[in-house]
Amino acid sequence: MLTIGRLASYAGVTIRAVRHYHQIGLLAEPERDASGYRTYDATAVVRLVRIRTLAEAGVPLARVRELLDADPETFAAATTGIDKQLRAQIHALQEHRRRIARLSGGDTLAVPREVVDYLDRLRAAGVPPVAVEAERDGWILMAARWPDAIPAMMADKVAQLDNPQVVQLYRLVARLAENWQDEELLRETADLMAEMFAQAEANGELELQDEVTPDPAFVRLMDSFADAAHPVVGRLRKLVADRGWTGWTVVEKRRP
């Protein structure tokens, strides 16, 4: 007859595991002998080894009892089902690993691949990091609200990078982020923005804004996000308004 320590040793488990199996009803707990000890026989070793084998194979303890007492047909069906669950878990873990690998750069956090590519283009165009990071955070919001529209939006943004005025604007905004009280720089930036808005109006681009961002509440959220990002935004909005244009995420010609 075996003590609990010897039983655990023979079956290749810990004493703690044996006691746990007692508690959940997988292994019967023997009565104490005349000396007050619980002793186990060979049958307990066999059952404990079977429990350990199933557990190590990935069978949930909640289903171990079912398999211990199952006939061959039931056992085969149950293990097939468990194997299917394990394969699904493996697939999920592989997907997690793939996403973790993509997070090696901060840009990939919460934005689609198209946005990451666009941000890389901004860097290649010489746009400073502070401007790229602000752009990234804004697109996190946009991607959360309109995920299906992101590919088309990014195609349009990439096309805009062929416009020297767009790249110049990014560079001016980046300089303002470091020296936003430079009045000459503020006026230069506001002048450029007003000129670009006028060109967009003439080309009919401003009329398409409601189709791209058809949610006024979300537009207000984006505007408040920009205002909170840096004091330069509020200052620029005022100067641009003085030049006849209102808005930030969605731009409109100022009414008299």
Side-chain angles (χ1 to χ4, degrees):
M1 301 300 286
L2 307 173
T3 64
I4 188 172
R6 184 74 64 174
L7 169 70
S9 176
Y10 286 170
V13 301
T14 64
I15 294 176
R16 183 177 180 180
V18 174
R19 288 175 174 153
H20 179 62
Y21 296 151
H22 285 330
Q23 292 174 355
I24 63 177
L26 283 180
L27 184 67
E29 190 171 6
E31 297 293 333
R32 295 184 184 275
D33 61 18
S35 301
Y37 294 101
R38 300 187 188 279
T39 56
Y40 301 83
D41 57 18
T43 302
V45 177
V46 171
R47 186 172 180 87
L48 189 53
V49 169
R50 295 181 67 202
I51 293 171
R52 187 207 71 200
T53 303
L54 289 169
E56 289 177 347
V59 178
L61 288 181
R63 300 199 62 184
V64 166
R65 182 200 296 274
E66 168 193 345
L67 295 185
L68 284 173
D69 302 322
D71 59 54
E73 183 178 347
T74 303
F75 186 92
T79 54
T80 298
I82 293 170
D83 179 67
K84 183 177 180 180
Q85 294 174 357
L86 290 173
R87 282 188 281 114
Q89 292 173 8
I90 290 171
H91 177 76
L93 289 172
Q94 289 173 335
E95 178 64 15
H96 292 326
R97 290 193 64 205
R98 185 185 68 80
R99 294 186 179 185
I100 286 294
R102 286 181 57 198
L103 296 181
S104 57
D107 291 345
T108 59
L109 182 61
V111 292
R113 182 76 252 174
E114 294 89 349
V115 177
V116 176
D117 292 341
Y118 173 65
L119 298 176
D120 287 341
R121 288 174 181 267
L122 290 182
R123 294 188 183 90
V127 177
V130 63
V132 176
E133 291 172 6
E135 188 84 5
R136 178 198 62 205
D137 291 348
W139 284 109
I140 288 176
L141 290 173
M142 294 292 285
R145 179 62 182 85
W146 291 295
D148 295 338
I150 289 297
M153 289 181 177
M154 288 297 98
D156 182 60
K157 294 293 288 186
V158 168
Q160 290 178 19
L161 291 179
D162 291 332
N163 184 347
Q165 288 182 314
V166 172
V167 177
Q168 176 63 9
L169 178 60
Y170 275 118
R171 291 172 176 167
L172 288 173
V173 170
R175 288 170 58 193
L176 282 171
E178 299 177 357
N179 189 15
W180 65 277
Q181 294 180 327
D182 185 328
E183 289 296 324
E184 182 178 350
L185 187 58
L186 280 164
R187 287 193 296 271
E188 180 183 356
T189 305
D191 287 341
L192 177 59
M193 293 175 68
E195 181 182 349
M196 294 173 65
F197 294 155
Q199 292 173 359
E201 182 192 35
N203 296 334
E205 296 174 12
L206 296 188
E207 298 176 3
L208 303 177
Q209 293 179 108
D210 289 341
E211 297 179 13
V212 177
T213 52
D215 185 345
F218 188 78
V219 169
R220 290 192 295 271
L221 175 68
M222 290 290 294
D223 285 354
S224 66
F225 174 76
D227 288 338
H230 198 284
V232 72
V233 175
R235 183 75 179 109
L236 274 177
R237 291 182 70 173
K238 183 179 184 306
L239 289 173
V240 170
D242 292 342
R243 287 157 175 75
W245 304 94
T246 62
W248 188 263
T249 305
V250 172
V251 178
E252 296 178 329
K253 193 166 187 178
R254 187 177 182 184
R255 297 176 182 175

